[in-house]
């Protein structure tokens, strides 16, 4: 089996379907399918199972994919070494960050990184979900998770603390919840997962409680929820970075401070594919973000 055949297999499995593989390889779908059939015929075994939703590697297909990915990464690294010899650090990094954390915490970091490395192209997506980093062609994603996916490398960026907060006007007018159970009868402003009941986890020392809540205003955009809190529409359940400046200014107050609150997870993670070639630009960016998170007091030192 030659390198070209291995590269074809890697491209198809990374894309997830023949149509996307054809787009990335600038070939017709029929041409990609033909070459795949030729490779399978030459080997005498099926390498990819065709399902209604996507393509899946067979056992032999997965083994060949892993070999192909290593070879492709080495070739990319060799080409990059030659192309960048004696040159300014360049390349492209496609990054996906949560809307609130990206704008309120990471935005200054990204702008500084761009000033430090003007030749690197930063492609920044502000969104709260990336189902498949390969399919969406994302190099690095930042997400709030309790347990990161096992198929991704996860670097810890530090804890995420949710707060129950409201504007001073709302607190004076309607009062603030004093007990966790009060949240069930309070107009809540927060994010939610479509199709799932929303449960708030609350921790006090070793004690853990859960409260089923029904928000009256739901959005994945924490900047919008921040505005809703300021407008006095209810009690926000949001990450602390969303309203930190408003708390310092005294425009927003918090409740249930004795509890550590969590909805979607307790840690912020930087995620990337374990078998994808790390360009110098991507490796530099990852280490830069980890260093900035540590300096901000959010991240733990990664294991060595």
């Amino acid at each position: 089996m030659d390198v070209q055949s291995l590269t074809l297999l890697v491209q198809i499995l990374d894309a997830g379907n023949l149509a996307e593989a054809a787009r990335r390889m600038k070939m017709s779908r029929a041409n990609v399918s033909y070459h795949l059939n030729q490779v399978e015929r030459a080997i005498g075994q099926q390498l990819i199972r065709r399902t209604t939703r996507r393509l899946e590697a067979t056992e032999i297909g997965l083994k060949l994919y892993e070999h192909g990915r290593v070879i492709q990464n080495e070739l990319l690294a060799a080409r990059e070494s030659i192309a960048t010899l004696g040159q300014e650090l360049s390349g492209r990094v496609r990054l996906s960050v949560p809307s609130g954390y990206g704008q309120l915490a990471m935005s200054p970091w990204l702008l500084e990184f761009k000033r430090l490395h003007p030749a690197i192209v930063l492609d920044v997506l502000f969104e709260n979900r990336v189902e498949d980093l390969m399919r969406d062609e994302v190099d690095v994603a930042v997400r709030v998770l309790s347990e990161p996916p096992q198929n991704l490398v996860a670097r810890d960026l530090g804890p995420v603390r949710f707060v129950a907060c409201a504007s001073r006007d709302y607190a004076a007018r309607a009062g603030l919840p004093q007990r966790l159970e009060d949240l069930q009868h309070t107009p809540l402003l927060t994010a939610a997962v479509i199709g799932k009941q929303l449960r708030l986890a609350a921790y006090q020392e070793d004690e853990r409680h859960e409260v089923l809540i029904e928000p009256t205003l739901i959005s994945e955009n924490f900047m919008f929820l921040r505005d809703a809190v300021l407008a006095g529409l209810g009690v926000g359940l949001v990450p602390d970075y969303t309203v930190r400046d408003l708390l310092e200014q005294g425009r927003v107050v918090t409740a249930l401070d004795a509890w550590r609150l969590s909805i979607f997870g307790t840690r912020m993670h930087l995620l990337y594919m374990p078998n994808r070639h790390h360009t110098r630009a991507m490796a530099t960016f990852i280490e830069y973000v980890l260093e900035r998170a540590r300096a901000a007091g959010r991240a733990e030192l990664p294991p060595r």
Side-chain angles (χ1 to χ4, degrees), residues 57 61 119 133 136 170 215 217 247 257 270 286 297 302:
L133 297 189
D136 296 319
Y170 176 89
L217 181 62
L247 291 170
D257 294 333
L270 185 149
I286 289 172

Side-chain angles (χ1 to χ4, degrees), residues 5-33:
S5 298
L6 284 172
T7 300
L8 175 75
L9 181 64
V10 169
Q11 290 277 17
I12 292 172
L13 288 174
D14 282 353
N17 60 69
L18 293 180
E20 177 61 18
R23 183 188 71 80
R24 296 184 187 184
M25 299 170 70
K26 296 180 173 57
M27 298 167 61
S28 69
R29 185 182 185 282
N31 204 3
V32 173
S33 180

